[in-house]
């Protein structure tokens, strides 16, 4: 069932040990929406500048993404560039030019407002709340955030979180938000802030799911070659949340089924793993649902005992 | 079936965010033997000094460990001390006093020589080979090593490895030994050096198994509290290899069964997780096989999807 995704659409400059791209399509909203589009109809809410390439517009539309909420504003598109370390476990930001994203005031097109699923990408928590307030009565709201908001907009973030069912974070965000070092305790503390489902994304070390159904430990897929990890966490989020939307999960009907949540985590890992195989969104230009389902089955074979 | 374990028996001084011990029983051989003793009869080959505490002797014997190969030499027992960082992901060595361990020349008691399983703890590769040469015809030989030997005794280590079926290493050792950054490729390169089974231990991030049965990805157990990670990797090795010995696995009878190897990895993770719950070997003073099997089942529940 239909999903609305809010966040950044950007151009990225990236350098990894496998190569370099001066300018490629990126942004959290882009990756989340592309990954989710394999599971459910997706509409995005984002802003781009006058330099946004018609070919990128076309690519998103061809993936079936509804662009009614993609505003085009005077100025340039958000630009970020960075360099990954030799082992790709660290990255250094070279440039961040917010451009039109600096004044982003997300406005939902009327048809979006009655849609049942909402994913709030990493933007200012006040904006996340404003977006949610524009929705009629979404079934399931999820989102992510980052250290910067946890440290500098803590109260606003806590208020936003109270309205969410699902939060996706990484290790350090979970620790910073909860004040707990141990991840099990950190997740339980975060669940008391609102989201009944907490997913801790650990990149090449897998993911942890905490819900009423107890914890679930998922290893990461083992790639032969990681070319560019940019966007992998967002693809995880898109695969995870897209699968929940596809299944029509509804917390008003009782606790989210643990098995469905676990499968959603694996689909998230699958999408994250494909993302790393090529630079930027390139792997998603050719990826098929059949390949996704095949890797899901492979995951089962790799982890059963 | 009976297992011989060779390595260090030591005293450790340890400081973690949860406390401090000035001097506690430790050493790789100790941890491996204690963990394996839940699965199979174990005999150790090691050396201690005149200061070795009769209470420790008694504790090992009460766990059913055969001490015929535990030599007592003039001088003091190997002593190591270190401090863990706040997040316990790093440790700094404060003191290393080899003492009687500096002149350790392992000699196997006659009854050990016909035993079917041999685990070569992390000692000089030349000594590992000498130990193996003293055995009649062990069914299964496994061991571990460390960066120091990989860098400084590479040829001797490669020669030793040719005679092993199982190697346990961590991420950085796997990369250093193989020259491959990617762990999947690193493991395949190491398998070409001799051991048909390679286990990459990743601490709180789980373990990877590579064998003829393909890769297996195991997450780590999620503890509420890690008090002291000292010895966890050795307990993993003891649980893993002890289980293989219990099951009587024999590579001469055909490739090691993939399911058995996977269960061995989970038993390794279970023993490693228990080890972290208390300082040093303390958790192993009260741990029972029933608790081990219960956590094995819990592992299944935590990872199934």
């Amino acid at each position: 069932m239909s999903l609305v995704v809010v966040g950044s659409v950007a151009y990225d400059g990236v350098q990894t040990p496998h190569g370099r791209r001066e300018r490629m399509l990126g942004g959290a909203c882009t990756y989340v929406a592309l990954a989710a589009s394999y599971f459910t109809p997706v509409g995005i809410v984002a802003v781009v500048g006058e330099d946004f390439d018609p070919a990128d517009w076309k690519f998103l539309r061809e993936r079936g993404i509804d662009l009614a909420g993609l505003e085009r504003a005077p100025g340039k598109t958000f630009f970020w560039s960075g360099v990954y370390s030799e082992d790709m476990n660290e990255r250094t930001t070279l440039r961040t030019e917010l451009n039109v994203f600096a004044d982003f005031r997300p406005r939902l097109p009327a048809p979006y407002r009655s849609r049942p699923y909402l994913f709030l990408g990493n933007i200012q928590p006040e904006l996340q709340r404003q977006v949610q307030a524009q929705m009629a009565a979404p079934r399931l709201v999820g989102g992510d955030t980052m250290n910067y908001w946890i440290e500098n907009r803590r109260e606003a973030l806590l208020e936003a979180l109270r309205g969410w069912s699902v939060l996706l974070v990484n290790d350090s965000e979970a620790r910073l938000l909860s004040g707990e070092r141990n991840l099990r305790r950190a997740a339980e503390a975060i669940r008391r802030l609102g989201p009944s489902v907490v997913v801790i994304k650990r990149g090449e070390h897998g993911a942890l799911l905490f819900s009423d159904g107890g914890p679930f430990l998922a290893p990461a897929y083992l790639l032969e070659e990681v070319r560019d990890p940019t966007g992998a966490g967002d693809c995880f989020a898109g695969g995870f949340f897209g699968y929940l939307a596809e299944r029509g999960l509804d917390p008003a009907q009782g606790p989210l089924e643990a098995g469905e949540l676990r499968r959603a985590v694996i689909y998230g890992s699958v999408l994250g793993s494909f993302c790393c195989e090529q630079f930027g969104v390139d792997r998603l230009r050719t990826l098929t649902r059949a390949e996704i389902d095949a890797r899901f089955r492979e995951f089962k074979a790799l982890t059963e005992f």
Side-chain angles (χ1 to χ4, degrees), chain A residues 83-92:
Chain A
V83 180
Y84 287 85
S85 62
E86 191 52 44
D87 66 5
M88 283 189 271
N89 284 328
E90 277 166 63
R91 73 177 187 193
T92 308

Side-chain angles (χ1 to χ4, degrees), chain A residues 287-304:
Chain A
L287 183 67
T288 65
R289 178 65 188 256
E291 287 178 301
I292 291 169
D293 289 334
R295 186 164 291 180
F296 181 94
R297 290 189 298 273
E298 197 187 345
F299 239 103
K300 235 184 160 65
L302 284 167
T303 57
E304 265 173 345

Side-chain angles (χ1 to χ4, degrees), chain A residues 9 40-41 49 55 71 82 103 134 142 148 150 187 192 198 215 222 251 254:
Chain A
V9 171
T40 190
E71 185 193 344
D103 300 312
Q134 293 174 54
Y148 181 80
I150 299 172
R192 289 191 290 273
V198 173
L222 205 61

